[in-house]
Amino acid sequence: MYFGLEGCRGLHGNTSRTMLSKNTLKYLTSLRQKKYRDRYEVFVAEGPKLIQDLIAAGLKLESLYTTDSSVFSEMTSEVISAAELKKISNQKTPNTAFAIFKRKSVTELKEQGLVLALDSIQDPGNLGTIMRLADWFGVNDIVCTQESADCYNPKVVQASMGSLARVQLHYMADLPAWLAQTDLPVYGGFMQGENVYQTALPENAVLVMGNEGQGISKEASASIDTKLSIPNFGAGQESLNVATATAVLLSEFKRSIGK
């Protein structure tokens, strides 16, 4: 293990009480930074349910630290104190368990079905929620600009609620160029556009969602075939949160297919 992690004893039901060494503590806290997550090709997940969901989905567990070993009776875990968990946790209120997982392999982007394209979605909570939505609506592939939040950011991982294991993100240096060359029809979410509730939507398409503050860039907009809007039936709000808008549009794509 990196930085000399202590106490590993196989894979089924082995638990030991340990104190985190300075090197281990340094390694675990370094993973708050993208450059170290990239270097070691790992990510952090916290909380028994999320950790168990990721394991059940087939992701490889590298190490597991917990204040309650009874929750993980069938796998290797290192029992640490609540004070130690607080030192390594990314949460204000740590949730009894902290795990390091190896990243999953990147699969090839399949330009079929509904593909979601994210133009600089920078808020980790929004990205994690959009990943959950993609998982819910059966969208396997999400294309992102390099400016989008890192899908392995601890806040994204927590917000994705295990969907990280089931959807594939593809980070691209030039999203507009990809949109220009794809054979799929390209739709985009805009404040002004065709009423999504009155538009027939195809099974195979790209749906582009834009940055929280700026929307879809001009460069990406140039390749959008159809602009979709969600009509405002009230008078108190000027816009929807991007994750909320994504939920509505994904739902309408799936509903249109089922007609």
Side-chain angles (χ1 to χ4, degrees), residues 189-207:
F190 289 84
M191 291 298 297
Q192 303 296 326
E194 294 186 19
N195 185 335
V196 68
Y197 301 125
Q198 299 173 353
T199 304
L201 301 170
E203 181 176 0
N204 299 290
V206 177
L207 173 61

Side-chain angles (χ1 to χ4, degrees), residues 17-217:
R17 178 69 176 89
T18 188
M19 291 185 65
L20 298 178
S21 69
K22 290 183 179 179
N23 280 343
T24 300
L25 184 63
K26 180 179 178 181
Y27 168 60
L28 296 177
T29 55
S30 75
L31 299 180
R32 294 170 182 167
Q33 299 181 56
K34 184 178 185 298
K35 65 178 180 179
Y36 292 111
R37 295 193 298 270
D38 290 346
R39 178 183 299 179
Y40 302 121
E41 298 183 341
V42 297
F43 68 94
V44 171
E46 297 190 54
K49 185 180 187 305
L50 175 58
I51 292 169
Q52 290 168 339
D53 284 350
L54 293 173
I55 292 172
L59 295 191
K60 185 177 179 181
L61 179 67
E62 179 181 277
S63 55
L64 172 61
Y65 300 87
T66 181
T67 57
D68 182 5
S69 61
S70 65
V71 179
F72 300 98
S73 59
E74 297 183 357
M75 63 191 71
T76 299
S77 62
E78 299 295 328
V79 179
I80 60 176
S81 68
E84 288 175 311
L85 181 61
K86 188 172 183 179
K87 288 181 181 179
I88 62 176
S89 176
N90 299 290
Q91 301 181 5
K92 292 182 178 179
T93 305
N95 188 5
T96 73
F98 180 102
I100 307 297
F101 284 89
K102 295 295 290 184
R103 296 185 180 186
K104 62 182 182 179
S105 300
V106 178
T107 60
E108 182 181 357
L109 172 60
K110 297 178 180 179
E111 296 188 30
Q112 62 186 38
L114 184 59
V115 177
L116 190 57
L118 305 180
D119 190 2
S120 302
I121 301 298
Q122 297 177 334
D123 181 85
N126 282 336
L127 180 58
T129 301
I130 289 171
M131 291 166 68
R132 288 182 66 188
L133 291 166
D135 190 16
W136 181 269
F137 286 107
V139 175
N140 297 316
D141 293 289
I142 302 176
V143 178
C144 299
T145 59
Q146 297 287 2
E147 294 76 23
S148 296
D150 174 23
C151 66
Y152 293 112
N153 178 306
K155 292 182 179 179
V156 176
V157 175
Q158 296 303 123
S160 76
M161 297 293 288
S163 293
L164 173 67
R166 292 179 290 274
V167 299
Q168 182 67 63
L169 273 74
H170 309 267
Y171 285 86
M172 292 188 173
D174 195 341
L175 176 63
W178 179 77
L179 292 174
Q181 64 80 42
T182 183
D183 292 329
L184 295 172
V186 181
Y187 293 75
F190 289 84
M191 291 298 297
Q192 303 296 326
E194 294 186 19
N195 185 335
V196 68
Y197 301 125
Q198 299 173 353
T199 304
L201 301 170
E203 181 176 0
N204 299 290
V206 177
L207 173 61
V208 184
M209 301 303 294
N211 173 268
E212 292 87 348
Q214 304 299 319
I216 299 173
S217 67

